[in-house]
Amino acid sequence: MLQRFSSGLARCEEITAAALAAAVTCLILTNIAFRAMGSPLYWISELAIYAMIWMTFLIAGAVLKRRQGIAVTLLSEFLPPKGRQLIGVWVDTMVLVFALLLVWLCWRWYQPLALVQAGFDIRVFQGQTFNFIYAENTSTLGVKKFWAWLIVPWFALSLSLHGVANLLQSLNQWRAPTAPTANSPR
């Protein structure tokens, strides 16, 4: 069930990232047209940047779920199947450790409990924590930046889910007996 949920989430992330890639293209072309007419819309550039950032984080989670990232396989190519599987377990463990560390850092960054304790009063929150995450606006959109930055906690949680699913799959493969290959002694 965890594998299906993780794969489904990765598919949704891929679809959303593709839609954002199309949106970035349309935004840039629209901005080019307005600049050619002598009336640039600066907020379009900022929106395209945030769309590109979201697209990158979303597709990164999906790529790591599918294990399609760039990898150096020089060592693993010379190892027997169990050795390659062990390296896979180690890589999946490191991805999960990174994801959980990122969840923890996002929790410290956003400080949701302190915000609740401040009664969602941003000034009280800032005075107690010296954290100004909820007060800063984007340059031209006029939206609070923490909304744009929510992709980082999303990525952290999504990558944690994908990391757990991949690690469980790798551990199951590592524990399973391997069939002898043509080159292995019988």
Side-chain angles (χ1 to χ4, degrees), residues 98-168:
F98 170 77
L100 293 174
L101 179 62
L102 192 56
V103 167
W104 177 73
L105 289 171
C106 288
W107 183 265
R108 293 204 42 176
W109 183 26
Y110 275 81
Q111 295 182 311
L113 292 181
L115 184 62
V116 170
Q117 289 171 347
F120 294 96
D121 185 332
I122 303 302
R123 290 181 189 244
V124 171
F125 172 79
Q126 291 171 346
Q128 292 173 348
T129 64
F130 297 107
N131 183 344
F132 300 92
I133 186 175
Y134 297 105
E136 193 174 345
N137 286 332
T138 57
S139 300
T140 59
L141 294 172
V143 176
K144 298 290 184 193
K145 281 188 177 179
F146 81 90
W147 291 110
W149 295 335
L150 278 174
I151 190 61
V152 179
W154 172 269
F155 173 71
L157 292 170
S158 169
L159 188 60
S160 296
L161 174 71
H162 297 324
V164 168
N166 283 354
L167 181 58
L168 290 175

Side-chain angles (χ1 to χ4, degrees), residues 30-141:
T30 302
N31 202 19
I32 289 170
F34 274 92
R35 284 179 189 262
M37 293 186 291
S39 305
L41 299 175
Y42 297 108
W43 62 269
I44 288 182
S45 295
E46 187 174 29
L47 186 59
I49 290 168
Y50 285 122
M52 179 77 77
I53 291 167
W54 276 60
M55 178 195 69
T56 303
F57 275 104
L58 289 171
I59 202 62
V63 163
L64 288 169
K65 163 59 184 157
R66 305 218 191 290
R67 296 181 176 108
Q68 294 174 336
I70 296 171
V72 178
T73 59
L74 183 65
L75 174 64
S76 62
E77 289 175 353
F78 294 107
L79 293 176
K82 281 293 186 189
R84 284 193 294 266
Q85 290 172 346
L86 187 60
I87 286 179
V89 168
W90 183 79
V91 168
D92 289 338
T93 302
M94 291 300 104
V95 168
L96 181 58
V97 166
F98 170 77
L100 293 174
L101 179 62
L102 192 56
V103 167
W104 177 73
L105 289 171
C106 288
W107 183 265
R108 293 204 42 176
W109 183 26
Y110 275 81
Q111 295 182 311
L113 292 181
L115 184 62
V116 170
Q117 289 171 347
F120 294 96
D121 185 332
I122 303 302
R123 290 181 189 244
V124 171
F125 172 79
Q126 291 171 346
Q128 292 173 348
T129 64
F130 297 107
N131 183 344
F132 300 92
I133 186 175
Y134 297 105
E136 193 174 345
N137 286 332
T138 57
S139 300
T140 59
L141 294 172

